[in-house]
Coordinates of all heavy atoms in Angstrom, one line a residue:
M1 N 3.9 2.6 12.6 CA 2.6 2.0 12.4 C 2.6 1.0 11.3 O 3.1 1.3 10.2 CB 1.5 3.0 12.2 CG 0.1 2.5 12.0 SD -1.1 3.8 11.6 CE -2.1 3.0 10.4
N2 N 2.1 -0.2 11.6 CA 2.1 -1.2 10.5 C 0.8 -1.3 9.8 O -0.2 -1.8 10.4 CB 2.4 -2.6 11.1 CG 2.6 -3.7 10.1 OD1 2.3 -3.4 8.9 ND2 3.1 -4.8 10.5
S3 N 0.7 -0.7 8.6 CA -0.6 -0.7 7.9 C -1.1 -2.1 7.5 O -2.3 -2.2 7.2 CB -0.4 0.2 6.7 OG 0.5 -0.4 5.8
N4 N -0.3 -3.0 7.6 CA -0.7 -4.4 7.1 C -1.7 -5.0 8.1 O -2.3 -6.0 7.8 CB 0.5 -5.3 7.1 CG 1.3 -5.0 5.8 OD1 1.0 -4.2 5.0 ND2 2.5 -5.6 5.7
E5 N -1.9 -4.4 9.3 CA -2.8 -4.9 10.2 C -4.3 -4.5 9.9 O -5.2 -5.0 10.5 CB -2.5 -4.5 11.7 CG -1.1 -4.9 12.1 CD -0.8 -6.4 11.9 OE1 -1.7 -7.2 12.3 OE2 0.3 -6.8 11.5
N6 N -4.4 -3.5 9.0 CA -5.8 -3.0 8.7 C -6.3 -3.6 7.5 O -6.1 -3.0 6.4 CB -5.6 -1.4 8.6 CG -5.1 -0.8 9.9 OD1 -5.5 -1.2 11.0 ND2 -4.2 0.1 9.7
A7 N -7.0 -4.7 7.6 CA -7.5 -5.4 6.4 C -8.7 -4.6 5.9 O -9.6 -4.2 6.6 CB -8.0 -6.8 6.8
N8 N -8.7 -4.3 4.6 CA -9.9 -3.7 3.9 C -10.7 -4.9 3.3 O -10.3 -5.5 2.3 CB -9.4 -2.8 2.8 CG -10.5 -2.1 2.1 OD1 -11.7 -2.5 2.3 ND2 -10.2 -1.1 1.3
H9 N -11.8 -5.2 4.0 CA -12.6 -6.3 3.6 C -13.3 -6.1 2.2 O -14.0 -7.0 1.8 CB -13.6 -6.7 4.7 CG -12.9 -7.2 5.9 ND1 -13.1 -6.9 7.2 CD2 -11.9 -8.2 6.0 CE1 -12.3 -7.5 8.0 NE2 -11.6 -8.3 7.3
C10 N -13.2 -4.9 1.7 CA -13.7 -4.6 0.3 C -12.7 -5.1 -0.7 O -13.1 -5.1 -1.9 CB -14.1 -3.2 0.2 SG -15.5 -2.7 1.2
I11 N -11.5 -5.3 -0.3 CA -10.5 -5.7 -1.3 C -9.8 -7.0 -0.9 O -8.9 -7.0 -0.1 CB -9.4 -4.6 -1.5 CG1 -10.0 -3.2 -1.8 CG2 -8.4 -5.0 -2.6 CD1 -9.0 -2.1 -1.8
A12 N -10.4 -8.1 -1.4 CA -9.7 -9.4 -1.1 C -8.5 -9.6 -2.1 O -8.6 -9.1 -3.2 CB -10.8 -10.5 -1.4
C13 N -7.5 -10.2 -1.5 CA -6.2 -10.3 -2.3 C -5.5 -11.5 -1.8 O -5.4 -11.7 -0.6 CB -5.4 -9.0 -2.2 SG -3.9 -9.2 -3.2
T14 N -4.9 -12.3 -2.7 CA -4.1 -13.5 -2.3 C -2.6 -13.3 -2.6 O -1.8 -14.3 -2.5 CB -4.6 -14.7 -3.0 OG1 -4.5 -14.5 -4.4 CG2 -6.1 -15.0 -2.6
V15 N -2.2 -12.1 -3.0 CA -0.8 -11.8 -3.3 C 0.0 -11.6 -2.1 O 0.3 -10.5 -1.7 CB -0.7 -10.7 -4.3 CG1 0.8 -10.5 -4.8 CG2 -1.6 -10.9 -5.5
E16 N 0.5 -12.7 -1.5 CA 1.2 -12.6 -0.2 C 2.6 -11.9 -0.3 O 3.1 -11.5 0.7 CB 1.4 -14.0 0.4 CG 0.0 -14.6 0.7 CD 0.2 -16.0 1.3 OE1 1.4 -16.5 1.5 OE2 -0.8 -16.7 1.5
Q17 N 3.0 -11.8 -1.5 CA 4.4 -11.2 -1.8 C 4.3 -9.7 -1.8 O 5.3 -9.0 -1.8 CB 4.9 -11.7 -3.1 CG 5.3 -13.2 -3.1 CD 4.0 -14.0 -3.4 OE1 2.9 -13.5 -3.6 NE2 4.3 -15.4 -3.4
C18 N 3.1 -9.1 -1.7 CA 2.9 -7.7 -1.7 C 3.1 -7.1 -0.3 O 2.5 -7.7 0.7 CB 1.6 -7.3 -2.3 SG 1.3 -5.5 -2.4
A19 N 3.7 -6.0 -0.2 CA 3.9 -5.3 1.1 C 2.6 -4.8 1.7 O 2.5 -4.6 2.9 CB 4.8 -4.1 0.9
H20 N 1.6 -4.6 0.9 CA 0.2 -4.2 1.4 C -0.7 -5.3 1.8 O -1.8 -5.1 2.2 CB -0.5 -3.3 0.3 CG 0.3 -2.1 -0.1 ND1 0.7 -1.2 0.9 CD2 0.8 -1.6 -1.2 CE1 1.3 -0.2 0.3 NE2 1.4 -0.5 -1.0
H21 N -0.3 -6.6 1.6 CA -1.1 -7.7 1.9 C -1.2 -7.9 3.4 O -0.1 -7.7 4.1 CB -0.5 -9.0 1.2 CG -1.3 -10.2 1.4 ND1 -1.1 -11.1 2.4 CD2 -2.4 -10.6 0.7 CE1 -2.0 -12.1 2.3 NE2 -2.8 -11.8 1.3
C22 N -2.3 -8.3 3.9 CA -2.5 -8.5 5.3 C -2.0 -10.0 5.6 O -2.5 -10.9 4.9 CB -3.9 -8.4 5.7 SG -4.5 -6.7 5.7
K23 N -1.1 -10.1 6.4 CA -0.4 -11.4 6.6 C -1.3 -12.5 6.9 O -1.3 -13.6 6.2 CB 0.6 -11.2 7.7 CG 1.7 -10.2 7.5 CD 2.6 -10.1 8.7 CE 3.5 -8.9 8.5 NZ 2.9 -7.5 8.8
S24 N -2.2 -12.4 7.8 CA -3.0 -13.5 8.3 C -4.3 -13.6 7.5 O -5.0 -14.7 7.6 CB -3.3 -13.4 9.8 OG -3.9 -12.1 10.0
D25 N -4.7 -12.6 6.8 CA -6.0 -12.6 6.1 C -5.7 -12.3 4.6 O -4.7 -11.5 4.3 CB -6.9 -11.6 6.6 CG -7.4 -11.8 8.0 OD1 -7.8 -13.0 8.2 OD2 -7.5 -10.9 8.8
N26 N -6.5 -12.9 3.7 CA -6.3 -12.6 2.3 C -7.1 -11.3 1.9 O -8.0 -11.3 1.1 CB -6.7 -13.8 1.4 CG -5.7 -14.8 1.4 OD1 -4.5 -14.5 1.5 ND2 -6.1 -16.1 1.3
Y27 N -6.5 -10.2 2.4 CA -7.1 -8.9 2.1 C -6.0 -7.9 1.9 O -4.9 -8.1 2.4 CB -8.0 -8.4 3.2 CG -9.3 -9.1 3.4 CD1 -9.4 -10.1 4.4 CD2 -10.3 -9.0 2.5 CE1 -10.6 -10.8 4.5 CE2 -11.5 -9.7 2.6 CZ -11.6 -10.6 3.6 OH -12.8 -11.4 3.8
C28 N -6.3 -6.8 1.2 CA -5.4 -5.7 1.1 C -5.6 -4.7 2.2 O -6.6 -4.6 2.8 CB -5.7 -5.0 -0.2 SG -4.6 -3.6 -0.6
S29 N -4.5 -4.1 2.6 CA -4.5 -3.1 3.7 C -4.8 -1.6 3.2 O -5.0 -0.8 4.0 CB -3.2 -3.2 4.5 OG -2.1 -2.8 3.7
L30 N -4.8 -1.4 1.9 CA -5.0 -0.1 1.4 C -6.4 0.3 1.4 O -7.3 -0.5 1.4 CB -4.4 0.0 0.0 CG -2.9 -0.2 -0.2 CD1 -2.6 -0.1 -1.7 CD2 -2.1 0.8 0.6
D31 N -6.7 1.6 1.4 CA -8.1 2.1 1.3 C -8.6 1.9 0.0 O -9.8 1.7 -0.2 CB -8.2 3.6 1.7 CG -7.8 3.9 3.2 OD1 -8.0 3.0 4.0 OD2 -7.4 5.0 3.5
R32 N -7.8 2.0 -1.0 CA -8.2 1.8 -2.4 C -7.0 1.3 -3.2 O -5.8 1.5 -2.8 CB -8.8 3.0 -3.0 CG -7.8 4.2 -3.1 CD -8.4 5.4 -3.8 NE -7.4 6.5 -4.0 CZ -7.7 7.6 -4.6 NH1 -8.9 7.8 -5.1 NH2 -6.7 8.5 -4.7
I33 N -7.2 0.7 -4.3 CA -6.1 0.2 -5.2 C -6.4 0.7 -6.6 O -7.5 1.1 -7.0 CB -5.9 -1.3 -5.2 CG1 -7.2 -2.0 -5.6 CG2 -5.5 -1.8 -3.8 CD1 -7.1 -3.5 -5.9
L34 N -5.4 0.6 -7.4 CA -5.5 0.9 -8.9 C -5.3 -0.4 -9.6 O -4.3 -1.1 -9.5 CB -4.5 1.9 -9.3 CG -4.5 2.2 -10.8 CD1 -5.8 2.9 -11.3 CD2 -3.3 3.1 -11.2
V35 N -6.3 -0.8 -10.4 CA -6.2 -2.0 -11.3 C -6.0 -1.5 -12.7 O -6.7 -0.6 -13.2 CB -7.5 -2.8 -11.2 CG1 -7.4 -4.0 -12.1 CG2 -7.6 -3.3 -9.8
G36 N -5.1 -2.1 -13.4 CA -4.8 -1.8 -14.8 C -4.6 -3.0 -15.6 O -4.8 -4.1 -15.2
T37 N -4.0 -2.8 -16.8 CA -3.7 -3.9 -17.7 C -2.4 -3.6 -18.4 O -2.0 -2.5 -18.6 CB -4.8 -4.1 -18.7 OG1 -4.5 -5.2 -19.5 CG2 -5.0 -3.0 -19.6
H38 N -1.7 -4.7 -18.8 CA -0.5 -4.6 -19.5 C -0.7 -5.0 -21.0 O 0.2 -5.2 -21.7 CB 0.6 -5.6 -18.9 CG 0.1 -7.0 -18.7 ND1 -0.6 -7.4 -17.6 CD2 0.1 -8.0 -19.6 CE1 -0.9 -8.6 -17.8 NE2 -0.5 -9.1 -18.9
E39 N -2.1 -5.3 -21.3 CA -2.4 -5.7 -22.6 C -3.0 -4.6 -23.5 O -3.6 -3.7 -22.9 CB -3.4 -6.9 -22.6 CG -2.9 -8.1 -21.8 CD -2.0 -8.9 -22.6 OE1 -1.8 -8.7 -23.8 OE2 -1.4 -9.8 -22.0
Y40 N -2.9 -4.7 -24.8 CA -3.5 -3.7 -25.6 C -5.0 -3.9 -25.6 O -5.8 -3.0 -25.6 CB -3.0 -3.8 -27.1 CG -3.6 -2.9 -28.1 CD1 -3.4 -1.5 -28.0 CD2 -4.5 -3.4 -29.0 CE1 -4.1 -0.7 -28.9 CE2 -5.1 -2.6 -29.9 CZ -4.9 -1.2 -29.9 OH -5.5 -0.4 -30.8
N41 N -5.4 -5.2 -25.6 CA -6.8 -5.6 -25.7 C -7.1 -6.7 -24.7 O -7.1 -7.9 -25.1 CB -7.2 -6.0 -27.1 CG -8.7 -6.3 -27.3 OD1 -9.5 -5.8 -26.5 ND2 -9.1 -7.2 -28.2
P42 N -7.3 -6.4 -23.4 CA -7.4 -7.5 -22.4 C -8.7 -8.3 -22.7 O -9.7 -7.9 -23.0 CB -7.6 -6.7 -21.1 CG -7.9 -5.3 -21.5 CD -7.4 -5.1 -22.8
T43 N -8.5 -9.7 -22.5 CA -9.5 -10.6 -22.8 C -9.8 -11.6 -21.6 O -10.8 -12.3 -21.7 CB -9.2 -11.5 -24.0 OG1 -7.9 -12.1 -23.8 CG2 -9.2 -10.6 -25.3
E44 N -9.0 -11.6 -20.6 CA -9.2 -12.5 -19.5 C -8.6 -12.0 -18.2 O -7.8 -11.0 -18.3 CB -8.7 -13.9 -19.8 CG -7.2 -13.9 -20.2 CD -6.8 -15.3 -20.8 OE1 -7.7 -16.1 -21.2 OE2 -5.6 -15.6 -20.7
D45 N -8.9 -12.5 -17.1 CA -8.4 -12.0 -15.9 C -6.9 -11.8 -15.7 O -6.4 -10.9 -15.1 CB -9.0 -12.7 -14.6 CG -8.6 -14.2 -14.6 OD1 -8.0 -14.7 -15.6 OD2 -8.9 -14.8 -13.6
S46 N -6.2 -12.8 -16.4 CA -4.7 -12.7 -16.3 C -4.1 -11.5 -17.0 O -2.9 -11.3 -17.0 CB -4.1 -14.0 -16.8 OG -4.5 -14.3 -18.1
C47 N -5.0 -10.8 -17.8 CA -4.5 -9.6 -18.5 C -4.5 -8.4 -17.6 O -4.0 -7.3 -18.0 CB -5.4 -9.3 -19.7 SG -5.5 -10.6 -20.9
T48 N -5.1 -8.5 -16.4 CA -5.2 -7.3 -15.5 C -4.1 -7.4 -14.4 O -3.7 -8.5 -14.1 CB -6.6 -7.2 -14.9 OG1 -6.8 -8.4 -14.1 CG2 -7.6 -7.2 -16.0
D49 N -3.8 -6.3 -13.8 CA -2.8 -6.2 -12.8 C -3.2 -5.2 -11.7 O -3.9 -4.3 -12.0 CB -1.5 -5.6 -13.4 CG -1.1 -6.3 -14.7 OD1 -0.6 -7.5 -14.6 OD2 -1.2 -5.7 -15.7
C50 N -2.8 -5.5 -10.5 CA -2.9 -4.5 -9.4 C -1.7 -3.6 -9.6 O -0.5 -4.0 -9.4 CB -2.9 -5.2 -8.1 SG -2.9 -3.9 -6.8
K51 N -2.0 -2.4 -9.9 CA -0.9 -1.3 -10.1 C -0.4 -0.8 -8.8 O 0.5 0.0 -8.7 CB -1.4 -0.2 -11.0 CG -1.8 -0.7 -12.4 CD -0.6 -1.2 -13.2 CE -1.0 -1.5 -14.6 NZ 0.1 -2.1 -15.4
S52 N -1.1 -1.2 -7.7 CA -0.7 -0.7 -6.3 C 0.3 -1.7 -5.7 O 0.7 -1.4 -4.5 CB -1.9 -0.5 -5.5 OG -2.8 0.4 -6.1
F53 N 0.6 -2.7 -6.4 CA 1.5 -3.8 -5.8 C 2.9 -3.1 -5.5 O 3.4 -2.4 -6.2 CB 1.7 -4.9 -6.9 CG 2.8 -5.9 -6.5 CD1 2.5 -6.9 -5.7 CD2 4.1 -5.7 -6.9 CE1 3.5 -7.9 -5.4 CE2 5.1 -6.6 -6.6 CZ 4.8 -7.7 -5.8
V54 N 3.4 -3.5 -4.3 CA 4.7 -3.1 -3.9 C 5.4 -4.4 -3.4 O 4.8 -5.1 -2.5 CB 4.7 -2.1 -2.8 CG1 6.1 -1.8 -2.3 CG2 4.1 -0.8 -3.3
K55 N 6.6 -4.7 -3.9 CA 7.3 -5.9 -3.4 C 7.6 -5.8 -1.9 O 8.1 -4.7 -1.5 CB 8.6 -6.0 -4.3 CG 9.3 -7.3 -4.0 CD 10.5 -7.4 -4.9 CE 11.2 -8.7 -4.7 NZ 11.8 -8.9 -3.4
K56 N 7.5 -6.8 -1.2 CA 7.9 -6.9 0.2 C 9.3 -6.7 0.4 O 10.1 -7.2 -0.4 CB 7.5 -8.2 0.8 CG 6.2 -8.2 1.5 CD 5.9 -9.6 2.2 CE 4.5 -9.6 2.7 NZ 4.2 -11.0 3.2
Ligands
SF4_101 S1 -1.8 -3.5 -3.3 FE1 -2.8 -5.0 -4.8 S2 -1.5 -6.8 -4.8 FE2 -1.0 -5.6 -3.0 S3 -2.2 -6.5 -1.3 FE3 -3.4 -4.7 -2.2 S4 -4.7 -5.6 -3.7 FE4 -3.1 -7.1 -3.3

């Protein structure tokens, strides 16, 4: 079963390099994701990361 066909319209995502990304739509295929940060004191959006990312 290819989970990438099941777009979760509650999670928009443009990271096409992720294995969970829906190919034709800019959505995630997971039911939920984990968002975190690599910064000690995050101050802007680029400080945050999708921790559910998996390389294709
Ligand atoms: S796991 Fe994260 S990076 Fe991957 S498609 Fe879903 S939201 Fe995007």
Side-chain angles (χ1 to χ4, degrees):
M1 179 180 140
N2 187 349
S3 62
N4 286 352
E5 303 305 319
N6 302 318
N8 181 346
H9 291 133
C10 294
I11 307 176
C13 180
T14 59
V15 185
E16 297 178 5
Q17 295 80 4
C18 180
H20 299 304
H21 185 265
C22 291
K23 301 175 186 76
S24 53
D25 292 316
N26 280 330
Y27 292 105
C28 182
S29 61
L30 297 177
D31 291 337
R32 64 178 182 175
I33 60 168
L34 175 64
V35 176
T37 182
H38 54 273
E39 301 283 350
Y40 177 70
N41 183 25
T43 55
E44 54 191 24
D45 60 353
S46 61
C47 298
T48 64
D49 309 289
C50 178
K51 300 295 189 183
S52 300
F53 173 86
V54 174
K55 188 178 184 299
K56 264 185 187 171

